[in-house]
Amino acid sequence: MVARYVIKRLGIGAMQLLFLVIAVFFVIRLLPADPVSRFVGLNPSEEAYAQAERNLGLDRPVMTQLGHYLGVLPEEGDGLMQGSLGISWVTGSTVASEIITALPVTIELLVFSFALALLVSVPVGMLAALKPGGPADKGVFVYSLFAGSQPEFWWGLLFVFVFFFQLGWAPAPLGTLSPLSSEPPSMTGFLTIDSLIAGRVDTFFEALHHYMLPVITMAFILSGPIIKMVRENMVRALGSEFVLYARCAGLPRGQIARYALRTAMAPSITLIGILFGFMLGGAVLVESVFSLGGLGQYSIRSVLAFDYPAIQGVILVITAISLLVYLALDLIHAALDPRVAF
């Protein structure tokens, strides 16, 4: 039953991914921009413009370009069906290799941020739900409004000013390591994991130190809506009939709290999935403030350079990761609340 559900969801996700790939392919070509002019200048000759257009593959009919990109044309053989995301028009490198280099930074940032946000949000949301309208509940309401009142890049700059410039607790926002430090040999692409594999514990803790401010910035923004969702669901769960029955049956308060939390976390999983997908593409501002060089910054550079293969590759990867995250959260949701399973 579980395997059938997973296969069904993967099939639906593949159809969604294909539709999005085709839609993005046509939409970016409808934008009022001329990528050829970026390579040949403002006043090129007709011969130079035509040569650049041929080199980029933009001289062919758009449906032929789509067939080449998807890899369905037998004479091309270098598209998505063959596992290729194309060649960057700017760097000449494969888009897949560039994304593989940039993506681990963004994934590490998001994983650490969500872990910290959940570690703080779940207990605080439970505490606020115990006495609705009490001091803790009012404090949570004020905190949620305060955390979401400014964009993430503003909080990042503020934290840099306070914790680096004023207090000196955090390192300079110059990337994931100090400019004088060397990275460990790349095994997985994730700096923290590669540091542990190479036995360089000092590099591991240095990377965590450099991740500290961007992670706090992201967690500060994420914790507001998660706390509110956990609080609302806990209030609803604590007032439900099964909790009242458990109290009447004399079950321990800790056991009742665990039952209520399990019920409250099930709908909160949906919000976490939405936030993860949103922040996967929206982490560019935090990455820019702290010079992390992740997928967000790479996507912005690609857009500004009209690098169609890179833009298409970034959107494809972000969408695929988001769909896998949604699938995993659906399975967790079903484990927490079997009533919605399959």
Side-chain angles (χ1 to χ4, degrees), residues 219-242:
F220 185 73
I221 300 297
L222 293 169
S223 59
I226 296 177
I227 289 175
K228 293 180 66 176
M229 180 64 72
V230 172
R231 183 261 179 199
E232 294 295 331
N233 293 327
M234 276 295 293
V235 169
R236 190 178 299 111
L238 290 174
S240 61
E241 294 181 354
F242 83 91

Side-chain angles (χ1 to χ4, degrees), residues 34-340:
D34 186 5
V36 180
S37 298
R38 186 187 180 280
F39 295 94
V40 296
L42 297 177
N43 297 306
S45 63
E46 294 184 3
E47 293 79 7
Y49 188 92
Q51 180 62 41
E53 195 174 34
R54 284 193 297 271
N55 292 338
L56 298 178
L58 297 177
D59 60 323
R60 295 173 294 181
V62 66
M63 295 306 297
T64 303
Q65 297 179 39
L66 177 62
H68 172 42
Y69 178 65
L70 296 177
V72 297
L73 295 181
E75 66 272 13
E76 299 292 353
D78 186 22
L80 291 180
M81 294 182 63
Q82 290 74 34
S84 173
L85 297 179
I87 305 296
S88 171
W89 292 350
V90 176
T91 64
S93 302
T94 61
V95 173
S97 64
E98 295 182 339
I99 290 179
I100 289 174
T101 301
L103 181 60
V105 176
T106 301
I107 296 297
E108 282 187 320
L109 174 62
L110 290 181
V111 169
F112 293 152
S113 301
F114 272 90
L116 179 59
L118 290 174
L119 187 64
V120 173
S121 302
V122 174
V124 172
M126 292 180 61
L127 180 63
L130 294 178
K131 293 184 178 180
D137 192 21
K138 294 179 180 178
V140 165
F141 177 75
V142 173
Y143 170 79
S144 300
L145 292 179
F146 180 71
S149 62
Q150 300 293 334
E152 55 267 28
F153 75 88
W154 189 89
W155 289 117
L157 293 173
L158 179 63
F159 290 158
V160 168
F161 176 75
V162 174
F163 294 106
F164 166 65
F165 185 74
Q166 293 290 337
L167 301 177
W169 294 352
L174 298 176
T176 55
L177 288 176
S178 169
L180 300 179
S181 300
S182 60
E183 295 187 0
S186 180
M187 301 290 292
T188 65
F190 296 93
L191 179 59
T192 53
I193 298 177
D194 290 340
S195 300
L196 294 178
I197 294 176
R200 295 174 53 175
V201 181
D202 56 336
T203 305
F204 171 77
F205 284 106
E206 182 182 354
L208 292 182
H209 195 206
H210 279 75
Y211 271 122
M212 180 178 69
L213 279 189
V215 166
I216 290 176
T217 301
M218 297 277 286
F220 185 73
I221 300 297
L222 293 169
S223 59
I226 296 177
I227 289 175
K228 293 180 66 176
M229 180 64 72
V230 172
R231 183 261 179 199
E232 294 295 331
N233 293 327
M234 276 295 293
V235 169
R236 190 178 299 111
L238 290 174
S240 61
E241 294 181 354
F242 83 91
V243 170
L244 295 177
Y245 178 80
R247 288 174 177 171
C248 294
L251 293 181
R253 294 184 61 183
Q255 187 174 0
I256 295 176
R258 288 195 296 271
Y259 288 154
L261 178 62
R262 179 175 179 175
T263 304
M265 284 303 297
S268 300
I269 292 296
T270 303
L271 174 65
I272 295 173
I274 295 173
L275 289 175
F276 190 93
F278 174 76
M279 297 307 296
L280 183 61
V284 56
L285 297 176
V286 175
E287 292 180 5
S288 299
V289 170
F290 296 97
S291 304
L292 297 180
L295 188 64
Q297 285 184 287
Y298 176 75
S299 63
I300 290 298
R301 291 196 302 267
S302 302
V303 171
L304 294 178
F306 306 126
D307 193 347
Y308 288 179
I311 297 172
Q312 295 167 169
V314 168
I315 295 176
L316 176 63
V317 169
I318 290 177
T319 304
I321 294 176
S322 299
L323 291 175
L324 291 176
V325 169
Y326 294 153
L327 174 61
L329 292 179
D330 282 346
L331 295 176
I332 296 175
H333 192 179
L336 292 174
D337 188 358
R339 294 173 300 174
V340 303

